[in-house]
């Protein structure tokens, strides 16, 4: 009990010079677990652009996904259209297709027939 009152009196002495304290720091002083913390709010620097504005900004400079060179918006849209039109399903040779089918059948039978190699 005497230790607690001593800690509280030390805490009161520390509180005299501090203007603002957070609730967590004031509560932790009773247990003497942390130093008091000043609660100050600072504004961002004026040259920093807010995130809300950056989200709505239209990007007019684009880079090619193929080689990274700068493109105009029209050239970028044209390249994207060409890439989307060019996407076709890859064809697999018939012998590889048969091998894949046999491996899939083997994988399906393995839990039923565990002695298969």
């Amino acid at each position: 009990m005497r230790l607690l009152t001593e800690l509280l009196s030390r805490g009161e002495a520390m509180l005299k010079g501090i203007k603002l304290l957070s609730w967590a720091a004031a509560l932790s002083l009773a247990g003497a677990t942390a130093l008091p913390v000043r609660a100050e709010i600072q504004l961002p620097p004026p040259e920093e652009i807010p995130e809300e504005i950056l989200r709505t900004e239209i990007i007019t400079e684009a880079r090619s996904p193929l080689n990274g060179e700068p493109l105009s918006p029209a050239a970028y849209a044209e390249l994207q259209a060409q890439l989307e039109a060019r996407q076709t399903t890859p064809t697999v040779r018939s012998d590889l297709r048969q091998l894949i089918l046999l491996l899939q059948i083997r994988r399906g039978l393995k839990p039923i027939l565990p002695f298969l190699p």
Side-chain angles (χ1 to χ4, degrees):
M1 186 71 178
R2 192 175 64 184
L3 180 63
L4 182 60
T5 57
E6 186 178 316
L7 286 173
L8 285 174
S9 65
R10 285 184 189 172
E12 288 173 3
M14 291 173 69
L15 286 175
K16 287 181 184 176
I18 298 173
K19 294 179 184 174
L20 293 173
L21 281 178
S22 67
W23 282 102
L27 292 175
S28 65
L29 279 178
T33 57
L35 294 176
V37 178
R38 279 195 142 171
E40 295 180 6
I41 299 175
Q42 295 182 355
L43 295 174
E47 62 270 0
E48 185 175 314
I49 300 172
E51 185 178 343
E52 292 82 11
I53 294 174
L54 290 176
R55 279 192 215 146
T56 59
E57 187 175 315
I58 297 172
I59 300 171
T60 58
E61 301 153 353
R63 294 204 169 264
S64 168
L66 300 176
N67 56 10
E69 68 182 26
L71 295 174
S72 67
Y76 181 76
E78 182 181 334
L79 180 64
Q80 286 295 96
Q82 288 175 358
L83 290 175
E84 288 175 4
R86 190 169 52 165
Q87 289 180 355
T88 59
T89 57
T91 57
V92 181
R93 293 190 331 231
S94 63
D95 57 338
L96 287 178
R97 191 178 318 127
Q98 183 181 6
L99 181 62
I100 291 171
L101 176 67
L102 291 174
L103 287 172
Q104 288 173 342
I105 291 171
R106 180 177 173 243
R107 183 176 34 167
L109 290 176
K110 188 79 169 167
I112 299 167
L113 305 170
F115 54 85
L116 286 176

